[in-house]
Amino acid sequence: REYTLDVYRLSSVVTQHDAKKAGAEVVKQVEHPLLSGLLYPGLQALDEEYLKVDAQFGGVDQRKIFTFAEKYLPSLGYAKRVHLMNPMVPGLTGSKMSSSEEDSKIDLLDRKEDVKKKLKKAFCEPGNVENNGVLSFIKHVLFPLKSEFVVLREEKWGGNKTYTAYEALEKDFAEQVVHPGDLKNSVEVALNKLLDPIREKFNCPELKKLSSAAYPAPSKAKPGEKSTKNSEPEDVIPSRLDIRVGKVISVEKHPDADSLYVEKIDVGEAEPRTVVSGLVHFVPKEQLQDRLVVLLCNLKPQKMRGVESQGMVLCASSVGEPRQVEPLDPPAGCCAGERVYVEGYEGGEPDEELKPKKKVFEKLQADFRVSEDCVAQWKQRNFLTKLGTVSCKSLRGGSIS
């Protein structure tokens, strides 16, 4: 109760400008941000008081929230805390290491089989030193502690090699002298040597109880029960979206809106769907006619200036100004109605209709991106049909909406 009242108190003194600035590097920046993104920095600041901590530790991306906390907590009569930061390093998945993404990090109490599993799945492309989480563990953890790193190899591949400078190892990996498999295996061995004493110390009833209380396992719903709040984020997965290949049969200007098209799109059903799209200023009518598009089909139908829209044409958008928009392109040869899915989520059944209050699409869409190869992705997993990847023509690094 007291925490909630303090949220209201804080909201009465914090400006929208300061809240947005504080969350700029942590809260996802989208075209239509949720109010929760403005509240987030205040919630994290209040955690310092309600968790009764002396200090907060995080990556340098947290610095604006730390500054926010130092400025506003005293206005509520609470003390400033100490703030500690470390460099941002790539996670094992190739993106930023994050406590909320289990496979991006190695925890101090991870079992040996957990370490092996995470490293086996880790992004470690031959010769690629960018966003390489395996190399980042060597640079930021192993070298500072040991001043050397041993690459373990069979004799037929040159035998073991000891590196006393990280730069030399990175150079050999870039030139593909060191194989990703050998690198992962060597990191696994080195990390387990560091973690073994910690695991042993925590292998007592008192510390096991402490660890369990600090990091409780997510609750699971029993058969027949609805999912709990704790498990809800796991349910927001791409397979809930009914995304299909569509063929544009006709395109007309909306009778009451200069920026909108009204399209008839075949998605393999008995009748084509009517879809309203705000593409007039970005895509000429003749470029839409008869082309294949990617359509989100299970949004709740809604009227747009008097015309009911029964889907959304997914498009790539440029990051900067002037804004550019390109409809996503299915692979050549696709048929209308063919399912589009995200890599690794092929098997799930889509919702019959996405409930607007649940914001399922909005939560997933926040992680939609276009890769440097112009491939549509969710969390670096490709959008696919059975014939290949979904892409756009030129908007590298863009968003998708």
Side-chain angles (χ1 to χ4, degrees):
R1 178 177 179 273
E2 289 75 14
Y3 180 91
T4 302
L5 289 174
D6 271 343
V7 172
Y8 289 129
R9 290 173 63 202
L10 195 61
S11 298
S12 71
V13 296
V14 175
T15 64
Q16 183 260 0
H17 172 270
D18 282 3
K20 189 173 182 180
K21 180 180 178 182
E25 295 184 49
V26 178
V27 178
K28 293 191 184 301
Q29 303 300 301
V30 295
E31 189 174 353
H32 301 291
L34 299 174
L35 180 59
S36 58
L38 294 177
L39 293 174
Y40 182 90
L43 302 181
Q44 183 169 327
L46 286 173
D47 284 345
E48 295 183 346
E49 173 64 23
Y50 282 86
L51 292 173
K52 302 301 179 187
V53 300
D54 301 305
Q56 186 177 171
F57 171 68
V60 293
D61 64 332
Q62 300 280 328
R63 64 189 185 277
K64 291 180 180 177
I65 291 184
F66 291 168
T67 302
F68 176 95
E70 291 180 13
K71 177 180 178 180
Y72 282 106
L73 281 188
S75 70
L76 301 184
Y78 300 136
K80 290 183 182 180
R81 266 59 177 191
V82 174
H83 293 112
L84 308 168
M85 291 175 283
N86 66 305
M88 300 303 295
V89 297
L92 295 176
T93 54
S95 56
K96 182 183 79 170
M97 188 180 293
S98 170
S99 60
S100 60
E101 188 177 355
E102 185 63 32
D103 287 341
S104 75
K105 61 190 173 70
I106 302 291
D107 286 321
L108 291 176
L109 297 180
D110 273 351
R111 302 170 303 163
K112 288 187 177 183
E113 47 266 45
D114 296 326
V115 174
K116 178 183 286 291
K117 182 180 178 181
K118 289 179 180 180
L119 285 170
K120 186 176 181 179
K121 294 195 298 183
F123 174 78
C124 192
E125 190 176 54
N128 188 352
V129 299
E130 299 297 324
N131 297 319
N132 189 320
V134 180
L135 283 174
S136 78
F137 262 99
I138 299 170
K139 181 178 181 179
H140 294 284
V141 178
L142 299 176
F143 259 108
L145 289 173
K146 295 292 186 180
S147 301
E148 66 175 29
F149 180 74
V150 181
V151 174
L152 305 172
R153 294 185 298 202
E154 296 182 27
E155 287 298 328
K156 64 179 179 179
W157 304 119
N160 295 351
K161 184 172 181 179
T162 301
Y163 291 89
T164 56
Y166 170 76
E167 292 73 20
L169 172 62
E170 185 179 276
K171 180 174 180 291
D172 277 1
F173 185 82
E175 295 174 356
Q176 299 191 34
V177 174
V178 175
H179 188 273
D182 294 328
L183 192 73
K184 288 182 178 184
N185 179 57
S186 305
V187 169
E188 180 188 340
V189 171
L191 282 177
N192 279 322
K193 283 182 181 178
L194 290 176
L195 296 177
D196 277 340
I198 301 171
R199 294 180 185 125
E200 185 176 348
K201 186 174 180 66
F202 269 77
N203 192 27
C204 67
E206 184 182 357
L207 289 180
K208 279 184 177 179
K209 183 178 179 181
L210 175 65
S211 177
S212 177
Y215 302 101
S219 60
K220 295 181 180 179
K222 296 177 182 178
E225 291 182 344
K226 291 185 178 180
S227 297
T228 64
K229 274 192 174 181
N230 285 340
S231 65
E232 187 174 340
E234 297 176 8
D235 294 335
V236 182
I237 54 176
S239 55
R240 292 183 64 178
L241 305 180
D242 183 4
I243 306 177
R244 302 184 221 168
V245 175
K247 183 174 183 180
V248 180
I249 297 172
S250 67
V251 188
E252 301 294 339
K253 283 275 195 77
H254 192 295
D256 297 318
D258 293 338
S259 63
L260 301 178
Y261 284 131
V262 178
E263 305 128 3
K264 293 290 186 182
I265 301 180
D266 177 12
V267 288
E269 297 171 333
E271 298 290 335
R273 293 193 178 209
T274 300
V275 178
V276 180
S277 303
L279 297 173
V280 170
H281 300 312
F282 303 104
V283 184
K285 178 179 173 181
E286 56 272 17
Q287 288 186 17
L288 276 178
Q289 182 67 47
D290 297 323
R291 75 174 286 163
L292 292 179
V293 294
V294 175
L295 194 72
L296 178 60
C297 294
N298 59 341
L299 288 174
K300 183 178 180 180
Q302 64 180 68
K303 287 193 175 182
M304 300 179 70
R305 295 288 187 91
V307 178
E308 186 175 79
S309 182
Q310 301 167 324
M312 177 192 292
V313 176
L314 296 182
C315 299
S317 300
S318 60
V319 177
E321 296 293 338
R323 188 179 179 217
Q324 296 174 275
V325 176
E326 296 174 356
L328 295 183
D329 291 316
C334 284
C335 299
E338 189 170 324
R339 181 84 185 273
V340 177
Y341 55 88
V342 171
E343 185 178 7
Y345 293 87
E346 298 90 338
E349 283 296 319
D351 290 12
E352 185 173 340
E353 181 178 285
L354 298 172
K355 305 300 181 187
K357 288 185 178 180
K358 296 291 186 181
K359 301 288 185 186
V360 172
F361 172 70
E362 289 81 357
K363 291 173 183 177
L364 293 166
Q365 187 261 337
D367 291 303
F368 286 0
R369 293 288 182 274
V370 178
S371 74
E372 292 303 310
D373 299 325
C374 288
V375 174
Q377 297 182 328
W378 175 78
K379 291 188 175 181
Q380 298 185 319
R381 295 172 179 262
N382 294 341
F383 281 55
L384 299 169
T385 74
K386 62 185 180 183
L387 295 181
T389 55
V390 172
S391 61
C392 71
K393 287 189 167 50
S394 64
L395 301 183
R396 294 177 175 82
S399 60
I400 299 172
S401 56

